[in-house]
Amino acid sequence: DNDFPISVLVDGELYNTKSLVNEIGIDNVNASVAEIIAKGFYHFNDKLFCKLNGKFSICILDKKTNTYYLVRDRGGVKNIFYSIVNNDLIFGTNIKSLLVGGLVKSDVDIQGLWNAISFPCPPQPQTIFKNIKALERGSYIKISADKSVEINSYWDIPLDIENISLTNKQSADMLENSLKKSIEYQMQTGNCFGTLLSGGVDSPLISALGSMYESNLTALTMGLSDPVLVHKNEDQRASLTANMYNMNHVVKLFSVEDLFKFLDEMVEIYEQPGISLASNYFLAKIANDE
């Protein structure tokens, strides 16, 4: 609606659309994510952001005040990168979109690069480029009509709320219920679901809980085919979880030569390297094949 005072661009999805539709008072139960956010912002302004449960990068324009808001989800699943050049803020959901115009220089931040290859990604707002920052998870940027830029946090991990009177079992039950609720939220979107399954602790737990909501859940595991490295594989331990919860377990092995074969493509796809670069790439290839 061109006459509505709020415009929205969104990349992502919401898990709590039903509760938001009711709270905002939208008549259309099949309202799009953009409509929910636009009407929610109209009613709640920036107080809306802490009500959103999902994975998203959002750009909101308040036409009345000519104010823009860039919002990143609380978990940081989606990205927003930005750079300020000549008092103008340039932003995008990937780094390439900032560099392609030539206004933002691709000068490497050595500390950011070192952190990127030491951790899954550089500690945000740092990136591997000097002139580009990442909006931190659970935060938003407000760009006023006078081009002033304000960065605020709308959500953070709750602290100092522990209840030390709980028994170990009560604590475990609370954690399990929270995980179940989170997974159920995400699996209500109607998409085709799969899971990445290792032989550790976190992915087997999430996969097992996910199998409660989708029968014959597809679980993907990668391993190394090189004889000197096969002892590092976790596929056998992962299979124990897959068999116990009746998952469709897909295991594929890759060699070190495969890493070099696809290295150029990895660099093209992953704008910031990290310790999980190769495993994420090959798991994505398995998912694509399946």
Side-chain angles (χ1 to χ4, degrees):
D1 186 351
N2 293 330
D3 295 327
F4 196 71
I6 308 297
S7 292
V8 171
L9 291 175
V10 57
D11 173 28
E13 58 186 336
L14 297 175
Y15 306 140
N16 60 332
T17 54
K18 291 181 181 178
S19 60
L20 285 171
V21 165
N22 292 331
E23 185 174 0
I24 297 167
I26 299 175
D27 294 331
N28 180 14
V29 294
N30 297 315
S32 67
V33 172
E35 180 181 351
I36 291 171
I37 293 171
K39 293 183 177 178
F41 187 83
Y42 180 78
H43 286 284
F44 302 114
N45 202 265
D46 57 8
K47 299 296 188 296
L48 169 73
F49 305 151
C50 64
K51 300 177 183 290
L52 303 178
N53 188 334
K55 54 181 182 181
F56 50 78
S57 301
I58 303 170
C59 177
I60 298 172
L61 168 60
D62 184 341
K63 299 176 186 176
K64 288 185 176 180
T65 60
N66 198 28
T67 302
Y68 287 86
Y69 296 81
L70 306 176
V71 192
R72 189 180 181 195
D73 63 78
R74 64 179 70 176
V77 180
K78 294 291 187 176
N79 291 311
I80 294 180
F81 298 101
Y82 66 95
S83 181
I84 298 177
V85 179
N86 297 326
N87 204 33
D88 290 323
L89 188 140
I90 303 170
F91 72 93
T93 55
N94 57 64
I95 291 176
K96 296 184 189 71
S97 63
L98 274 69
L99 296 175
V100 70
L103 294 175
V104 181
K105 304 302 181 184
S106 57
D107 298 329
V108 174
D109 183 337
I110 299 300
Q111 185 62 53
L113 179 60
W114 173 256
N115 287 337
I117 60 178
S118 303
F119 303 99
C121 67
Q124 296 171 352
Q126 187 179 57
T127 71
I128 65 173
F129 296 100
K130 291 181 180 179
N131 304 309
I132 300 176
K133 295 185 181 297
L135 179 61
E136 295 186 66
R137 56 154 184 80
S139 298
Y140 69 94
I141 299 175
K142 178 181 178 181
I143 310 157
S144 301
D146 62 359
K147 293 188 178 183
S148 62
V149 175
E150 180 183 328
I151 301 176
N152 297 292
S153 173
Y154 68 85
W155 186 88
D156 205 346
I157 298 172
L159 300 175
D160 301 323
I161 61 171
E162 64 271 17
N163 183 350
I164 60 175
S165 67
L166 295 177
T167 65
N168 287 342
K169 185 179 185 310
Q170 288 173 326
S171 298
D173 289 343
M174 181 181 295
L175 176 60
E176 182 176 348
N177 289 334
S178 295
L179 284 171
K180 285 181 179 178
K181 182 178 179 181
S182 174
I183 292 169
E184 184 181 14
Y185 257 147
Q186 296 182 52
M187 298 185 75
Q188 288 177 346
T189 57
N191 296 323
C192 179
F193 294 100
T195 181
L196 307 182
L197 182 60
S198 73
V201 175
D202 51 349
S203 68
L205 174 58
I206 292 171
S207 300
L209 294 175
S211 68
M212 297 172 56
Y213 304 100
E214 176 132 335
S215 60
N216 200 32
L217 181 68
T218 296
L220 310 178
T221 302
M222 68 157 291
L224 300 167
S225 60
D226 304 83
V228 296
L229 298 173
V230 292
H231 67 282
K232 295 183 177 293
N233 290 341
E234 301 181 10
D235 55 299
Q236 292 185 357
R237 293 199 302 274
S239 293
L240 296 175
T241 301
N243 293 334
M244 181 178 293
Y245 293 96
N246 299 314
M247 300 179 198
N248 172 32
H249 193 203
V250 179
V251 180
K252 290 194 176 181
L253 303 181
F254 298 91
S255 67
V256 173
E257 285 72 22
D258 290 327
L259 171 64
F260 292 104
K261 178 181 177 182
F262 295 105
L263 186 59
D264 287 344
E265 187 174 341
M266 291 184 203
V267 172
E268 180 69 21
I269 294 172
Y270 292 96
E271 300 179 317
Q272 300 200 90
I275 58 175
S276 301
L277 175 88
S279 58
N280 286 341
Y281 175 82
F282 288 120
L283 284 166
K285 285 186 71 69
I286 298 173
N288 183 67
D289 293 340
E290 291 301 312

